[in-house]
Amino acid sequence: MTKSTKVFCISEKRPNKKKLEYCANLIRKGKLVVFPSETVYGLGANALSKNAVQSIYKAKGRPTDNPLIVHVSSIKMAEKLVLEIPAIVRKAMGTFWPGPITFVLKKKKIVPSQVTCGLDTVGIRFPSNRIARRLIEISDRPIAAPSANLSGKPSPTKAKHVIEDLNGRVDAIINGGNASVGLESTVIDVSGDLPILLRPGGITLEELEKVFGVIDIADSNAKSPKCPGMKYRHYAPNAVFYLFDGKNENPKMNRLKLKFNSLRKKGYKVAIIASKESKKIINEKYHDDVFVVGSRTNLLFLASKIFNVLRKIDRKGYDYILMTTCPNDGIGRAIMNRIRKAATKVIN
Ligand code: TXA
Ligand code: MG
């Protein structure tokens, strides 16, 4: 399957209407259009066409038991896809939409089973990125879209990443610059009595608890059919990735440095992902191999850069990546969720 992929540069501040109309027309014709969103780039197709949806799985090599998120440009559009929106969910939508959160609700028949992999629920998201919103509005269709990476690879936060993975596999790619959040949306199942956090993301558990009160947290190791996406290894770089876990930063860094030295001695190319504070305690002669992702105190920055840095290290041909864990709360919960899945091994 080789397609000729058109790339369009569109600015989020002033989205070019002609280019958007061209891409919207592709969506209406059942074609594949990659678009930017505030979380990560999405590989989009008309959510109401089963053929279009099927071609998404093919293009990214996605297992066909992992359902897709449907993107809308209003709550009204969401209402057409789901059986009901309970009052508390409506309140949460009002609080967090448009933005980085997906609500899983009971679906209407109009949503093809190819989108949901046979589940009776569908995940719906109203993105805040203006290019994504305008694309949905102009297509006048809900757009089904997984992250626009080859299955198993780190999610794309720049058009360059999409081109690496999907050039020749999609009809168009909209380059809209860097994704601002940089991690995929929070996924919360609100189809039952108790809300269940299926995937931590841009909207934090703490923020959700303010609206919902008690929230159940899905066990990310469980092979439950409730959260099909969780059973796959994700976000994996080519390099072997060791994650150093533990309560305090300095002992973790010390263990990381020991590993770094022993791998280097064996002749391997080893990269370290670290904060600017941690970089200071690494011998200066190795600083070229240290990839700094902001300060320890700015986890939002780390979230926005983590997928990019994993891809960058792969491009440079490293054999190993070493990193320490960050605190598991706020946005840290989403970061940890992704890097634990990306890691080859967690070292305690
Ligand atoms: O930020 C995002 O969510 C990005 C952008 C493009 O919107 N999309 C994204 O899609 O991350 P994807 O396909 O990479 O991840 C979708 C996740 C998967 O873990 C999937 O299992 C879960 O959402 N999901 C989708 N529909 C579901 C449903 N009906 N029930 C349970 N989980 C669902
Ligand atoms: Mg994905």
Side-chain angles (χ1 to χ4, degrees):
M1 159 192 44
T2 314
K3 291 170 177 269
S4 88
T5 303
K6 284 205 165 80
V7 179
F8 297 92
C9 286
I10 300 184
S11 116
E12 194 186 352
K13 272 201 188 124
R14 245 178 283 138
N16 181 296
K17 205 169 166 213
K18 268 215 168 114
K19 292 180 187 172
L20 276 174
E21 273 169 357
Y22 184 92
C23 293
N25 206 29
L26 288 177
I27 294 282
R28 278 196 292 265
K29 285 199 244 167
K31 306 283 186 193
L32 297 176
V33 177
V34 174
F35 60 92
S37 91
E38 67 278 20
T39 58
V40 300
Y41 276 75
L43 165 49
N46 177 3
L48 301 181
S49 154
K50 63 178 191 214
N51 288 334
V53 168
Q54 254 159 357
S55 63
I56 293 178
Y57 291 88
K58 229 165 116 191
K60 69 173 274 176
R62 183 183 180 94
T64 48
D65 61 350
N66 192 7
L68 306 177
I69 292 171
V70 176
H71 298 73
V72 297
S73 54
S74 64
I75 296 184
K76 222 170 155 187
M77 198 177 210
E79 282 167 352
K80 293 185 182 151
L81 305 172
V82 300
L83 288 183
E84 68 159 333
I85 304 179
I88 183 100
V89 178
R90 207 170 270 279
K91 188 175 162 203
M93 286 174 173
T95 308
F96 303 118
W97 270 2
I101 182 164
T102 298
F103 296 95
V104 172
L105 286 156
K106 287 263 186 313
K107 80 174 192 78
K108 277 188 181 152
K109 270 211 181 107
I110 182 179
V111 180
S113 67
Q114 283 78 2
V115 170
T116 63
C117 304
L119 296 176
D120 63 355
T121 55
V122 60
I124 314 268
R125 184 162 97 82
F126 176 0
S128 64
N129 180 289
R130 284 187 64 208
I131 299 167
R133 289 168 66 168
R134 293 292 293 142
L135 180 71
I136 303 162
E137 276 165 12
I138 300 173
S139 321
D140 196 23
R141 308 273 186 284
I143 296 183
S147 50
N149 50 283
L150 283 177
S151 200
K153 291 282 152 211
S155 296
T157 55
K158 293 170 182 277
K160 176 167 105 175
H161 305 157
V162 177
I163 294 168
E164 273 169 13
D165 280 16
L166 297 178
N167 194 22
R169 294 175 159 262
V170 297
D171 298 284
I173 296 171
I174 301 175
N175 181 347
N178 294 347
S180 56
V181 177
L183 294 178
E184 306 86 340
S185 63
T186 304
V187 180
I188 183 167
D189 183 345
V190 286
S191 66
D193 293 335
L194 188 63
I196 308 170
L197 180 68
L198 298 182
R199 179 175 74 181
I203 301 297
T204 64
L205 178 64
E206 293 80 358
E207 289 173 286
L208 286 168
E209 281 169 342
K210 282 191 195 140
V211 175
F212 286 102
V214 184
I215 293 175
D216 217 358
I217 301 174
D219 171 5
S220 64
N221 294 316
K223 307 237 181 312
S224 145
K226 269 228 167 267
C227 35
M230 290 190 168
K231 64 179 181 241
Y232 298 104
R233 181 167 182 228
H234 276 309
Y235 323 116
N238 297 324
V240 176
F241 182 8
Y242 288 152
L243 184 63
F244 292 79
D245 199 2
K247 265 212 174 87
N248 301 312
E249 190 59 24
N250 286 348
K252 277 191 285 195
M253 269 313 284
N254 288 336
R255 283 187 285 127
L256 180 151
K257 283 197 291 185
L258 282 176
K259 191 78 182 173
F260 179 80
N261 290 333
S262 83
L263 287 169
R264 277 188 62 98
K265 262 193 200 133
K266 290 180 190 155
Y268 291 113
K269 219 176 138 165
V270 192
I272 298 175
I273 301 175
S275 62
K276 65 176 192 211
E277 293 86 354
S278 293
K279 183 176 179 176
K280 288 194 189 128
I281 59 169
I282 294 166
N283 193 323
E284 264 185 40
K285 69 178 181 197
Y286 302 130
H287 276 193
D288 283 353
D289 297 319
V290 181
F291 294 77
V292 171
V293 272
S295 162
R296 251 179 228 175
T297 55
N298 188 355
L299 291 185
L300 283 174
F301 186 80
L302 171 60
S304 72
K305 296 292 176 210
I306 186 67
F307 286 141
N308 180 47
V309 82
L310 290 176
R311 281 185 182 255
K312 190 162 152 187
I313 291 171
D314 268 351
R315 274 198 304 273
K316 291 182 183 259
Y318 279 91
D319 303 303
Y320 286 88
I321 304 173
L322 311 181
M323 184 180 176
T324 60
T325 54
C326 67
N328 193 37
D329 51 23
I331 192 71
R333 182 184 293 276
I335 299 170
M336 286 307 304
N337 170 275
R338 305 308 190 275
I339 61 178
R340 277 183 192 282
K341 284 193 184 140
T344 319
K345 198 172 165 192
V346 182
I347 300 177
N348 284 292

mmCIF file of all heavy atoms in Angstrom, residues 82-122:
data_model
loop_
_atom_site.group_PDB
_atom_site.id
_atom_site.type_symbol
_atom_site.label_atom_id
_atom_site.label_comp_id
_atom_site.label_asym_id
_atom_site.label_seq_id
_atom_site.Cartn_x
_atom_site.Cartn_y
_atom_site.Cartn_z
ATOM 1 N N VAL A 82 -23.852 9.045 21.310
ATOM 2 C CA VAL A 82 -23.989 8.262 22.541
ATOM 3 C C VAL A 82 -25.443 8.224 23.021
ATOM 4 O O VAL A 82 -26.231 9.119 22.714
ATOM 5 C CB VAL A 82 -23.078 8.809 23.669
ATOM 6 C CG1 VAL A 82 -21.622 8.753 23.223
ATOM 7 C CG2 VAL A 82 -23.464 10.217 24.068
ATOM 8 N N LEU A 83 -25.766 7.163 23.777
ATOM 9 C CA LEU A 83 -27.159 6.984 24.214
ATOM 10 C C LEU A 83 -27.585 8.091 25.154
ATOM 11 O O LEU A 83 -28.640 8.683 24.992
ATOM 12 C CB LEU A 83 -27.320 5.618 24.902
ATOM 13 C CG LEU A 83 -27.261 4.398 23.994
ATOM 14 C CD1 LEU A 83 -27.514 3.124 24.789
ATOM 15 C CD2 LEU A 83 -28.264 4.517 22.841
ATOM 16 N N GLU A 84 -26.746 8.356 26.175
ATOM 17 C CA GLU A 84 -27.093 9.474 27.062
ATOM 18 C C GLU A 84 -25.840 10.038 27.711
ATOM 19 O O GLU A 84 -24.829 9.351 27.832
ATOM 20 C CB GLU A 84 -28.100 9.041 28.138
ATOM 21 C CG GLU A 84 -27.510 8.086 29.127
ATOM 22 C CD GLU A 84 -28.296 8.043 30.450
ATOM 23 O OE1 GLU A 84 -28.955 9.023 30.828
ATOM 24 O OE2 GLU A 84 -28.200 7.001 31.112
ATOM 25 N N ILE A 85 -25.947 11.295 28.098
ATOM 26 C CA ILE A 85 -24.846 11.925 28.821
ATOM 27 C C ILE A 85 -25.376 12.284 30.213
ATOM 28 O O ILE A 85 -26.148 13.227 30.361
ATOM 29 C CB ILE A 85 -24.330 13.182 28.098
ATOM 30 C CG1 ILE A 85 -23.904 12.841 26.657
ATOM 31 C CG2 ILE A 85 -23.175 13.814 28.880
ATOM 32 C CD1 ILE A 85 -23.403 14.021 25.834
ATOM 33 N N PRO A 86 -24.994 11.496 31.250
ATOM 34 C CA PRO A 86 -25.478 11.785 32.597
ATOM 35 C C PRO A 86 -25.072 13.203 33.034
ATOM 36 O O PRO A 86 -24.077 13.740 32.541
ATOM 37 C CB PRO A 86 -24.763 10.738 33.464
ATOM 38 C CG PRO A 86 -24.320 9.671 32.520
ATOM 39 C CD PRO A 86 -24.094 10.342 31.204
ATOM 40 N N ALA A 87 -25.845 13.787 33.950
ATOM 41 C CA ALA A 87 -25.631 15.182 34.348
ATOM 42 C C ALA A 87 -24.200 15.450 34.810
ATOM 43 O O ALA A 87 -23.599 16.459 34.433
ATOM 44 C CB ALA A 87 -26.629 15.552 35.446
ATOM 45 N N ILE A 88 -23.666 14.533 35.589
ATOM 46 C CA ILE A 88 -22.318 14.762 36.127
ATOM 47 C C ILE A 88 -21.262 14.743 35.012
ATOM 48 O O ILE A 88 -20.275 15.485 35.041
ATOM 49 C CB ILE A 88 -21.980 13.706 37.229
ATOM 50 C CG1 ILE A 88 -20.604 13.945 37.863
ATOM 51 C CG2 ILE A 88 -22.001 12.294 36.721
ATOM 52 C CD1 ILE A 88 -20.669 14.635 39.171
ATOM 53 N N VAL A 89 -21.517 13.919 33.993
ATOM 54 C CA VAL A 89 -20.588 13.847 32.853
ATOM 55 C C VAL A 89 -20.691 15.133 32.032
ATOM 56 O O VAL A 89 -19.684 15.692 31.566
ATOM 57 C CB VAL A 89 -20.877 12.602 31.985
ATOM 58 C CG1 VAL A 89 -19.954 12.559 30.775
ATOM 59 C CG2 VAL A 89 -20.738 11.329 32.817
ATOM 60 N N ARG A 90 -21.902 15.610 31.897
ATOM 61 C CA ARG A 90 -22.110 16.880 31.190
ATOM 62 C C ARG A 90 -21.330 18.002 31.897
ATOM 63 O O ARG A 90 -20.704 18.841 31.271
ATOM 64 C CB ARG A 90 -23.604 17.202 31.173
ATOM 65 C CG ARG A 90 -24.049 18.042 30.020
ATOM 66 C CD ARG A 90 -25.572 18.093 29.986
ATOM 67 N NE ARG A 90 -26.142 17.025 29.202
ATOM 68 C CZ ARG A 90 -26.233 17.044 27.863
ATOM 69 N NH1 ARG A 90 -25.768 18.082 27.187
ATOM 70 N NH2 ARG A 90 -26.756 16.034 27.208
ATOM 71 N N LYS A 91 -21.386 17.951 33.222
ATOM 72 C CA LYS A 91 -20.662 18.958 34.000
ATOM 73 C C LYS A 91 -19.147 18.838 33.743
ATOM 74 O O LYS A 91 -18.452 19.844 33.542
ATOM 75 C CB LYS A 91 -20.952 18.746 35.493
ATOM 76 C CG LYS A 91 -20.415 19.842 36.366
ATOM 77 C CD LYS A 91 -20.827 19.664 37.823
ATOM 78 C CE LYS A 91 -19.927 20.514 38.711
ATOM 79 N NZ LYS A 91 -19.881 20.029 40.086
ATOM 80 N N ALA A 92 -18.673 17.608 33.724
ATOM 81 C CA ALA A 92 -17.240 17.391 33.470
ATOM 82 C C ALA A 92 -16.865 17.849 32.053
ATOM 83 O O ALA A 92 -15.814 18.458 31.842
ATOM 84 C CB ALA A 92 -16.894 15.915 33.661
ATOM 85 N N MET A 93 -17.751 17.578 31.097
ATOM 86 C CA MET A 93 -17.482 18.031 29.722
ATOM 87 C C MET A 93 -17.392 19.549 29.689
ATOM 88 O O MET A 93 -16.519 20.126 29.035
ATOM 89 C CB MET A 93 -18.585 17.545 28.773
ATOM 90 C CG MET A 93 -18.517 16.065 28.461
ATOM 91 S SD MET A 93 -19.960 15.557 27.480
ATOM 92 C CE MET A 93 -19.500 13.860 27.112
ATOM 93 N N GLY A 94 -18.310 20.191 30.424
ATOM 94 C CA GLY A 94 -18.308 21.655 30.486
ATOM 95 C C GLY A 94 -17.017 22.177 31.101
ATOM 96 O O GLY A 94 -16.509 23.235 30.727
ATOM 97 N N THR A 95 -16.479 21.425 32.053
ATOM 98 C CA THR A 95 -15.260 21.864 32.741
ATOM 99 C C THR A 95 -14.008 21.615 31.896
ATOM 100 O O THR A 95 -13.134 22.474 31.824
ATOM 101 C CB THR A 95 -15.105 21.087 34.076
ATOM 102 O OG1 THR A 95 -16.325 21.197 34.800
ATOM 103 C CG2 THR A 95 -13.962 21.641 34.915
ATOM 104 N N PHE A 96 -13.915 20.449 31.277
ATOM 105 C CA PHE A 96 -12.641 20.047 30.653
ATOM 106 C C PHE A 96 -12.609 20.132 29.136
ATOM 107 O O PHE A 96 -11.545 20.005 28.525
ATOM 108 C CB PHE A 96 -12.274 18.627 31.083
ATOM 109 C CG PHE A 96 -12.170 18.466 32.575
ATOM 110 C CD1 PHE A 96 -13.018 17.602 33.260
ATOM 111 C CD2 PHE A 96 -11.233 19.193 33.294
ATOM 112 C CE1 PHE A 96 -12.924 17.446 34.635
ATOM 113 C CE2 PHE A 96 -11.124 19.053 34.672
ATOM 114 C CZ PHE A 96 -11.972 18.180 35.345
ATOM 115 N N TRP A 97 -13.759 20.248 28.502
ATOM 116 C CA TRP A 97 -13.799 20.322 27.035
ATOM 117 C C TRP A 97 -13.899 21.757 26.571
ATOM 118 O O TRP A 97 -14.592 22.527 27.235
ATOM 119 C CB TRP A 97 -15.005 19.544 26.514
ATOM 120 C CG TRP A 97 -14.730 18.099 26.220
ATOM 121 C CD1 TRP A 97 -13.564 17.424 26.405
ATOM 122 C CD2 TRP A 97 -15.672 17.158 25.664
ATOM 123 N NE1 TRP A 97 -13.730 16.111 25.998
ATOM 124 C CE2 TRP A 97 -14.997 15.928 25.541
ATOM 125 C CE3 TRP A 97 -17.008 17.240 25.248
ATOM 126 C CZ2 TRP A 97 -15.631 14.793 25.019
ATOM 127 C CZ3 TRP A 97 -17.626 16.125 24.737
ATOM 128 C CH2 TRP A 97 -16.931 14.895 24.626
ATOM 129 N N PRO A 98 -13.342 22.138 25.429
ATOM 130 C CA PRO A 98 -12.446 21.302 24.641
ATOM 131 C C PRO A 98 -11.119 21.103 25.373
ATOM 132 O O PRO A 98 -10.624 22.014 26.004
ATOM 133 C CB PRO A 98 -12.248 22.116 23.369
ATOM 134 C CG PRO A 98 -12.531 23.533 23.750
ATOM 135 C CD PRO A 98 -13.523 23.480 24.860
ATOM 136 N N GLY A 99 -10.580 19.877 25.248
ATOM 137 C CA GLY A 99 -9.313 19.625 25.940
ATOM 138 C C GLY A 99 -8.916 18.165 25.941
ATOM 139 O O GLY A 99 -9.558 17.325 25.304
ATOM 140 N N PRO A 100 -7.842 17.856 26.695
ATOM 141 C CA PRO A 100 -7.211 16.533 26.595
ATOM 142 C C PRO A 100 -7.879 15.446 27.436
ATOM 143 O O PRO A 100 -7.233 14.817 28.267
ATOM 144 C CB PRO A 100 -5.781 16.809 27.063
ATOM 145 C CG PRO A 100 -5.917 17.946 28.019
ATOM 146 C CD PRO A 100 -7.057 18.782 27.514
ATOM 147 N N ILE A 101 -9.176 15.231 27.232
ATOM 148 C CA ILE A 101 -9.859 14.146 27.951
ATOM 149 C C ILE A 101 -10.907 13.474 27.075
ATOM 150 O O ILE A 101 -11.633 14.136 26.328
ATOM 151 C CB ILE A 101 -10.485 14.638 29.273
ATOM 152 C CG1 ILE A 101 -11.130 13.461 30.013
ATOM 153 C CG2 ILE A 101 -11.476 15.759 29.041
ATOM 154 C CD1 ILE A 101 -11.430 13.733 31.469
ATOM 155 N N THR A 102 -10.948 12.146 27.184
ATOM 156 C CA THR A 102 -11.873 11.311 26.409
ATOM 157 C C THR A 102 -12.860 10.661 27.371
ATOM 158 O O THR A 102 -12.446 10.059 28.366
ATOM 159 C CB THR A 102 -11.085 10.205 25.677
ATOM 160 O OG1 THR A 102 -10.178 10.834 24.779
ATOM 161 C CG2 THR A 102 -12.003 9.265 24.908
ATOM 162 N N PHE A 103 -14.144 10.799 27.087
ATOM 163 C CA PHE A 103 -15.180 10.172 27.906
ATOM 164 C C PHE A 103 -15.700 8.930 27.193
ATOM 165 O O PHE A 103 -16.118 9.010 26.031
ATOM 166 C CB PHE A 103 -16.329 11.140 28.162
ATOM 167 C CG PHE A 103 -15.930 12.349 28.973
ATOM 168 C CD1 PHE A 103 -15.573 13.544 28.354
ATOM 169 C CD2 PHE A 103 -15.889 12.290 30.361
ATOM 170 C CE1 PHE A 103 -15.184 14.657 29.102
ATOM 171 C CE2 PHE A 103 -15.505 13.400 31.115
ATOM 172 C CZ PHE A 103 -15.148 14.580 30.488
ATOM 173 N N VAL A 104 -15.698 7.806 27.888
ATOM 174 C CA VAL A 104 -16.238 6.567 27.319
ATOM 175 C C VAL A 104 -17.679 6.425 27.777
ATOM 176 O O VAL A 104 -17.971 6.413 28.981
ATOM 177 C CB VAL A 104 -15.401 5.345 27.749
ATOM 178 C CG1 VAL A 104 -16.064 4.043 27.317
ATOM 179 C CG2 VAL A 104 -13.983 5.434 27.168
ATOM 180 N N LEU A 105 -18.598 6.373 26.785
ATOM 181 C CA LEU A 105 -20.046 6.316 27.068
ATOM 182 C C LEU A 105 -20.695 5.228 26.213
ATOM 183 O O LEU A 105 -20.117 4.781 25.219
ATOM 184 C CB LEU A 105 -20.663 7.681 26.727
ATOM 185 C CG LEU A 105 -20.362 8.812 27.720
ATOM 186 C CD1 LEU A 105 -20.480 10.169 27.040
ATOM 187 C CD2 LEU A 105 -21.324 8.717 28.920
ATOM 188 N N LYS A 106 -21.919 4.847 26.580
ATOM 189 C CA LYS A 106 -22.649 3.859 25.776
ATOM 190 C C LYS A 106 -22.934 4.442 24.395
ATOM 191 O O LYS A 106 -23.416 5.557 24.268
ATOM 192 C CB LYS A 106 -23.972 3.518 26.475
ATOM 193 C CG LYS A 106 -23.811 2.648 27.714
ATOM 194 C CD LYS A 106 -24.053 1.185 27.358
ATOM 195 C CE LYS A 106 -24.056 0.242 28.547
ATOM 196 N NZ LYS A 106 -23.003 0.343 29.537
ATOM 197 N N LYS A 107 -22.628 3.658 23.370
ATOM 198 C CA LYS A 107 -22.730 4.190 22.013
ATOM 199 C C LYS A 107 -24.111 3.997 21.390
ATOM 200 O O LYS A 107 -24.862 3.097 21.781
ATOM 201 C CB LYS A 107 -21.667 3.556 21.131
ATOM 202 C CG LYS A 107 -22.013 2.155 20.607
ATOM 203 C CD LYS A 107 -20.939 1.703 19.626
ATOM 204 C CE LYS A 107 -21.369 0.458 18.860
ATOM 205 N NZ LYS A 107 -22.302 0.742 17.777
ATOM 206 N N LYS A 108 -24.420 4.833 20.401
ATOM 207 C CA LYS A 108 -25.604 4.618 19.575
ATOM 208 C C LYS A 108 -25.221 3.705 18.411
ATOM 209 O O LYS A 108 -24.036 3.585 18.084
ATOM 210 C CB LYS A 108 -26.092 5.957 19.020
ATOM 211 C CG LYS A 108 -26.960 6.754 19.981
ATOM 212 C CD LYS A 108 -27.553 7.971 19.289
ATOM 213 C CE LYS A 108 -28.393 8.763 20.289
ATOM 214 N NZ LYS A 108 -28.444 10.195 19.947
ATOM 215 N N LYS A 109 -26.243 3.154 17.750
ATOM 216 C CA LYS A 109 -25.994 2.235 16.621
ATOM 217 C C LYS A 109 -25.222 2.884 15.483
ATOM 218 O O LYS A 109 -24.475 2.214 14.763
ATOM 219 C CB LYS A 109 -27.338 1.738 16.077
ATOM 220 C CG LYS A 109 -27.819 0.477 16.743
ATOM 221 C CD LYS A 109 -28.652 -0.367 15.763
ATOM 222 C CE LYS A 109 -29.164 -1.617 16.441
ATOM 223 N NZ LYS A 109 -30.621 -1.535 16.717
ATOM 224 N N ILE A 110 -25.395 4.171 15.327
ATOM 225 C CA ILE A 110 -24.768 4.908 14.222
ATOM 226 C C ILE A 110 -23.230 4.781 14.218
ATOM 227 O O ILE A 110 -22.594 4.870 13.185
ATOM 228 C CB ILE A 110 -25.212 6.388 14.272
ATOM 229 C CG1 ILE A 110 -24.627 7.177 13.113
ATOM 230 C CG2 ILE A 110 -24.835 7.057 15.562
ATOM 231 C CD1 ILE A 110 -25.048 8.635 13.075
ATOM 232 N N VAL A 111 -22.664 4.511 15.408
ATOM 233 C CA VAL A 111 -21.197 4.353 15.487
ATOM 234 C C VAL A 111 -20.839 2.923 15.059
ATOM 235 O O VAL A 111 -21.238 1.960 15.717
ATOM 236 C CB VAL A 111 -20.677 4.600 16.921
ATOM 237 C CG1 VAL A 111 -19.153 4.434 16.981
ATOM 238 C CG2 VAL A 111 -21.098 5.973 17.421
ATOM 239 N N PRO A 112 -20.095 2.775 13.971
ATOM 240 C CA PRO A 112 -19.797 1.427 13.478
ATOM 241 C C PRO A 112 -18.984 0.617 14.487
ATOM 242 O O PRO A 112 -18.169 1.181 15.217
ATOM 243 C CB PRO A 112 -18.957 1.660 12.219
ATOM 244 C CG PRO A 112 -18.993 3.106 11.930
ATOM 245 C CD PRO A 112 -19.466 3.824 13.143
ATOM 246 N N SER A 113 -19.215 -0.707 14.477
ATOM 247 C CA SER A 113 -18.502 -1.543 15.450
ATOM 248 C C SER A 113 -17.006 -1.579 15.147
ATOM 249 O O SER A 113 -16.202 -1.924 16.001
ATOM 250 C CB SER A 113 -19.088 -2.948 15.466
ATOM 251 O OG SER A 113 -18.816 -3.569 14.235
ATOM 252 N N GLN A 114 -16.605 -1.176 13.933
ATOM 253 C CA GLN A 114 -15.168 -1.104 13.602
ATOM 254 C C GLN A 114 -14.463 -0.050 14.461
ATOM 255 O O GLN A 114 -13.270 -0.146 14.722
ATOM 256 C CB GLN A 114 -14.959 -0.748 12.117
ATOM 257 C CG GLN A 114 -15.177 -1.890 11.166
ATOM 258 C CD GLN A 114 -16.653 -2.168 10.914
ATOM 259 O OE1 GLN A 114 -17.544 -1.477 11.424
ATOM 260 N NE2 GLN A 114 -16.927 -3.197 10.143
ATOM 261 N N VAL A 115 -15.205 0.976 14.879
ATOM 262 C CA VAL A 115 -14.605 2.014 15.724
ATOM 263 C C VAL A 115 -14.354 1.466 17.120
ATOM 264 O O VAL A 115 -13.329 1.740 17.747
ATOM 265 C CB VAL A 115 -15.544 3.251 15.813
ATOM 266 C CG1 VAL A 115 -15.052 4.239 16.872
ATOM 267 C CG2 VAL A 115 -15.668 3.936 14.472
ATOM 268 N N THR A 116 -15.302 0.688 17.626
ATOM 269 C CA THR A 116 -15.287 0.307 19.039
ATOM 270 C C THR A 116 -14.830 -1.137 19.252
ATOM 271 O O THR A 116 -14.806 -1.611 20.383
ATOM 272 C CB THR A 116 -16.698 0.470 19.635
ATOM 273 O OG1 THR A 116 -17.577 -0.432 18.956
ATOM 274 C CG2 THR A 116 -17.207 1.885 19.467
ATOM 275 N N CYS A 117 -14.490 -1.812 18.157
ATOM 276 C CA CYS A 117 -14.062 -3.219 18.211
ATOM 277 C C CYS A 117 -15.103 -4.076 18.909
ATOM 278 O O CYS A 117 -14.753 -4.933 19.742
ATOM 279 C CB CYS A 117 -12.704 -3.343 18.889
ATOM 280 S SG CYS A 117 -11.449 -2.357 18.104
ATOM 281 N N GLY A 118 -16.344 -3.787 18.615
ATOM 282 C CA GLY A 118 -17.427 -4.614 19.125
ATOM 283 C C GLY A 118 -17.915 -4.223 20.508
ATOM 284 O O GLY A 118 -18.916 -4.770 20.983
ATOM 285 N N LEU A 119 -17.255 -3.286 21.193
ATOM 286 C CA LEU A 119 -17.740 -2.858 22.517
ATOM 287 C C LEU A 119 -19.035 -2.064 22.353
ATOM 288 O O LEU A 119 -19.298 -1.500 21.289
ATOM 289 C CB LEU A 119 -16.695 -1.962 23.204
ATOM 290 C CG LEU A 119 -15.349 -2.588 23.565
ATOM 291 C CD1 LEU A 119 -14.423 -1.530 24.152
ATOM 292 C CD2 LEU A 119 -15.540 -3.719 24.565
ATOM 293 N N ASP A 120 -19.828 -1.997 23.432
ATOM 294 C CA ASP A 120 -21.051 -1.208 23.329
ATOM 295 C C ASP A 120 -20.829 0.235 23.806
ATOM 296 O O ASP A 120 -21.760 0.994 24.005
ATOM 297 C CB ASP A 120 -22.214 -1.884 24.092
ATOM 298 C CG ASP A 120 -21.930 -1.982 25.581
ATOM 299 O OD1 ASP A 120 -20.807 -1.618 25.997
ATOM 300 O OD2 ASP A 120 -22.830 -2.412 26.331
ATOM 301 N N THR A 121 -19.559 0.578 24.007
ATOM 302 C CA THR A 121 -19.227 1.953 24.414
ATOM 303 C C THR A 121 -18.320 2.585 23.366
ATOM 304 O O THR A 121 -17.687 1.891 22.571
ATOM 305 C CB THR A 121 -18.451 1.939 25.743
ATOM 306 O OG1 THR A 121 -17.307 1.103 25.585
ATOM 307 C CG2 THR A 121 -19.318 1.442 26.894
ATOM 308 N N VAL A 122 -18.263 3.929 23.407
ATOM 309 C CA VAL A 122 -17.366 4.642 22.493
ATOM 310 C C VAL A 122 -16.670 5.770 23.259
ATOM 311 O O VAL A 122 -17.278 6.411 24.118
ATOM 312 C CB VAL A 122 -18.148 5.179 21.262
ATOM 313 C CG1 VAL A 122 -19.255 6.158 21.650
ATOM 314 C CG2 VAL A 122 -17.197 5.853 20.263
#
